[in-house]
Amino acid sequence: KENPEFNPLLFLQCQQIRAELTAADCRGLGFIKAQLMCSSCDKLDDFGLEAIKPHCKQCCTLDQQPASQRTYAKAILEVCTCKFRAYPQIQAFIQSGRPAKFPNLQIKYVRGLDPVVKLLDASGKVQETLSITKWNTDTVEEFFETHLAKEGAGKSSYSVVEDAEDEDEEDYLRTNRI
């Protein structure tokens, strides 16, 4: 005898709503699953984007800790100098005095690489890798101010690592070595 209170169609719909979408599905909806935090979905109402909130919730990763509280022992900004024309804001950050504010920041030149930031823990293990292709100079600086540990605040140097093949690059690459 069937239970009159149990509706299999309704049950399947509820399961489908709670199901998590694949990374490919999320990308098709305009979300990058690996980088989308659920706290961001909660802010969609503020911008009149309630319609995409259910999909956002299916693609997001639960926040382990508020982003404003997460800090990392070290960061590596990796970029290719050949990409400076495409990313002038990253070039401006690197060539300005701003990186010197962060003693635990390393700038590494990697041939052919779009700009990324690798965030490391105290043991040197990479915890997160973020694309910074769309960030402006101020955003890069603010991110490091917020997310890099303040240890060694008295130092005013950072390190630069170059590709061995980039010997003919401009002088500013050589002047920032420690």
Side-chain angles (χ1 to χ4, degrees):
K1 185 175 176 180
E2 284 188 39
N3 182 349
E5 295 176 18
F6 179 74
N7 182 339
L9 184 57
L10 181 60
F11 178 73
L12 287 174
Q13 286 176 335
C14 288
Q15 276 189 321
Q16 189 175 12
I17 290 171
R18 290 182 51 207
E20 210 173 274
L21 297 174
T22 66
D25 293 336
C26 291
R27 185 168 296 282
L29 293 168
F31 300 111
I32 301 174
K33 187 173 182 129
Q35 297 177 357
L36 181 62
M37 303 308 283
C38 291
S39 61
S40 300
C41 298
D42 296 333
K43 295 177 184 173
L44 291 173
D45 296 336
D46 299 342
F47 302 100
L49 298 170
E50 301 86 9
I52 63 171
K53 190 173 181 178
H55 292 289
C56 183
K57 287 287 192 180
Q58 290 175 318
C59 292
C60 70
T61 303
L62 290 175
D63 300 37
Q64 297 171 347
Q65 178 178 19
S68 62
Q69 294 177 3
R70 258 182 275 156
T71 59
Y72 300 90
K74 184 178 178 183
I76 303 171
L77 190 160
E78 294 183 346
V79 67
C80 178
T81 55
C82 67
K83 301 278 185 153
F84 277 175
R85 282 190 185 209
Y87 306 107
Q89 71 281 14
I90 305 304
Q91 178 182 10
F93 174 80
I94 291 171
Q95 292 178 351
S96 72
R98 293 178 182 195
K101 292 182 189 178
F102 310 104
N104 43 357
L105 171 63
Q106 178 183 30
I107 297 173
K108 187 174 181 181
Y109 296 98
V110 181
R111 185 172 294 282
L113 187 67
D114 286 336
V116 296
V117 170
K118 291 184 178 180
L119 300 163
L120 294 79
D121 61 14
S123 66
K125 183 179 174 191
V126 175
Q127 297 297 304
E128 283 189 67
T129 301
L130 305 172
S131 169
I132 60 169
T133 58
K134 304 284 186 201
W135 294 13
N136 66 34
T137 305
D138 293 333
T139 304
V140 175
E141 181 178 17
E142 182 180 327
F143 179 83
F144 290 138
E145 286 173 349
T146 305
H147 295 285
L148 274 182
K150 303 291 189 255
E151 303 166 15
K155 298 178 187 175
S156 63
S157 62
Y158 62 98
S159 64
V160 175
V161 178
E162 297 179 48
D163 261 356
E165 300 172 2
D166 288 345
E167 295 300 325
D168 59 339
E169 290 296 329
E170 294 183 39
D171 239 16
Y172 66 86
L173 295 178
R174 290 183 192 82
T175 60
N176 291 329
R177 288 187 186 166
I178 293 179

